[in-house]
Amino acid sequence: MNPAPPDDLAGFSVPGSGRGILEVFRYRYLLRLLVRKGTQTRYHGSALGWGWSYVKPAAQFVIFYVVMGLFLGLHHGIENFPIYLFSGIIVVNLFSEAFSNATKSIINNKALVKKIYLPRELFPVADVFIAFVHFLPQLAILLVVLLVVGWVPTLVQISGVVLAILIILTFALGLGLFFGALNVSFRDAQNLVEIILLFATWTAPVLYPFTVVRDALPTWLFELYMLNPLTVAVELFHSAFWFPTTAENMERPAHLWLLAGIAAIVVAAVMVVGQFVFRKLEGRFAQDL
């Protein structure tokens, strides 16, 4: 009997292939399982449990406030410096955890990757969601403090916060897909990510105002600095949370919403590149693991 012509196989998909990040939506149940597993096992066996999600950012804030604010005097000229500092710290924490976890996601789930097929993008997406869940207690601390000092949110401020979170999560996922794919074959990628994250806190106006950078750098370099999606997200948080608690005579970046739009385009491009590289290399994941 002659073999069936190739056209008869048109309805079948090649094993191990998928539609990329879009296919994650077909596996929503598995995504929920991965997120639940990651959140429930994070503090397994710990006495404080989820209390560490409050203790760690609080301790980080105290260290930065004492060293940068009191010892180095960077709080001078920044009204309500504690709110300014903490609203920036939690943005960087979200980016750092999401990016770092997404980079290691394939390696950490190598048993599943090697045995069964499912969209490999599930793992970095799940880890980004887990980072967002761990970000919520930090955001809750900030909101409690803000409500105590009389902060009343507006629709514009809330929109800025939502946009900032989307920018950070998309940016971290795009970079996580890129470095996560490289990390399977070249474990140096993980070390490179750690170095990038060391710079993350200092390349965004968290411990200092953006005016320091503006006054120190040439105009073209400062404009490039302001296009950093992490910088834009931090300033959106400052504009929503910190600025309303001041006498509103503090300086804010000009054209912040325009910068946010450009940052959204940048992170979308990063996502496309990250997905492209991930798709190119995922065929070797099981072999290299």
Side-chain angles (χ1 to χ4, degrees):
M1 179 180 294
N2 295 328
D7 291 344
D8 292 348
L9 302 178
F12 296 88
S13 60
V14 178
S17 67
R19 294 182 299 170
I21 199 77
L22 296 177
E23 196 168 9
V24 170
F25 296 104
R26 291 180 52 200
Y27 291 78
R28 291 187 294 273
Y29 177 70
L30 283 177
L31 180 61
R32 287 196 296 269
L33 286 180
L34 289 172
V35 173
R36 185 183 307 168
K37 171 180 173 293
T39 54
Q40 291 179 349
T41 59
R42 180 181 177 94
Y43 299 116
H44 179 70
S46 169
L48 282 181
W50 271 85
W52 285 112
S53 294
Y54 298 90
V55 172
K56 287 182 177 179
Q60 185 182 20
F61 163 76
V62 170
I63 292 172
F64 280 136
Y65 179 74
V66 171
V67 175
M68 308 303 297
L70 300 182
F71 291 170
L72 299 181
L74 294 183
H75 66 289
H76 295 302
I78 302 180
E79 189 177 349
N80 288 338
F81 181 70
I83 295 176
Y84 179 91
L85 178 62
F86 193 73
S87 58
I89 285 177
I90 64 174
V91 175
V92 174
N93 284 349
L94 174 61
F95 173 73
S96 298
E97 181 174 355
F99 183 17
S100 177
N101 290 354
T103 299
K104 297 180 287 187
S105 60
I106 302 299
I107 300 294
N108 291 341
N109 292 278
K110 62 182 179 180
L112 288 174
V113 173
K114 292 169 66 174
K115 292 180 180 178
I116 62 174
Y117 170 73
L118 68 166
R120 312 305 196 220
E121 291 88 352
L122 266 174
F123 302 114
V125 170
D127 278 343
V128 168
F129 270 110
I130 292 169
F132 174 70
V133 172
H134 294 150
F135 160 79
L136 294 178
Q138 303 175 48
L139 181 61
I141 295 175
L142 177 61
L143 291 177
V144 168
V145 173
L146 289 170
L147 293 175
V148 169
V149 301
W151 176 71
V152 179
T154 66
L155 181 59
V156 173
Q157 293 166 358
I158 294 174
S159 300
V161 170
V162 173
L163 178 58
I165 292 174
L166 291 176
I167 287 173
I168 288 298
L169 294 180
T170 307
F171 193 32
L173 179 57
L175 291 174
L177 288 170
F178 180 84
F179 285 98
L182 293 180
N183 193 43
V184 175
S185 301
F186 309 99
R187 303 302 166 86
D188 303 283
Q190 186 172 325
N191 296 320
L192 179 59
V193 168
E194 292 176 0
I195 294 175
I196 293 173
L197 293 178
L198 284 176
F199 286 94
T201 303
W202 299 96
T203 55
V206 175
L207 306 176
Y208 54 84
F210 79 96
T211 54
V212 172
V213 181
R214 183 192 62 191
D215 297 340
L217 296 180
T219 301
W220 68 270
L221 193 54
F222 170 69
E223 292 176 352
L224 185 61
Y225 167 84
M226 291 303 299
L227 293 178
N228 176 9
L230 187 57
T231 297
V232 173
V234 168
E235 286 300 336
L236 285 172
F237 262 58
H238 284 161
S239 183
F241 295 136
W242 164 73
F243 187 77
T245 68
T246 68
E248 299 194 359
N249 57 359
M250 305 297 296
E251 190 172 358
R252 290 190 294 181
H255 313 296
L256 183 56
W257 283 102
L258 175 61
L259 292 173
I262 297 174
I265 296 174
V266 170
V267 299
V270 170
M271 173 67 78
V272 170
V273 172
Q275 173 68 105
F276 176 79
V277 173
F278 193 93
R279 294 274 289 160
K280 283 292 184 180
L281 298 180
E282 69 173 332
R284 296 181 51 86
F285 284 175
Q287 173 185 338
D288 292 343
L289 288 172

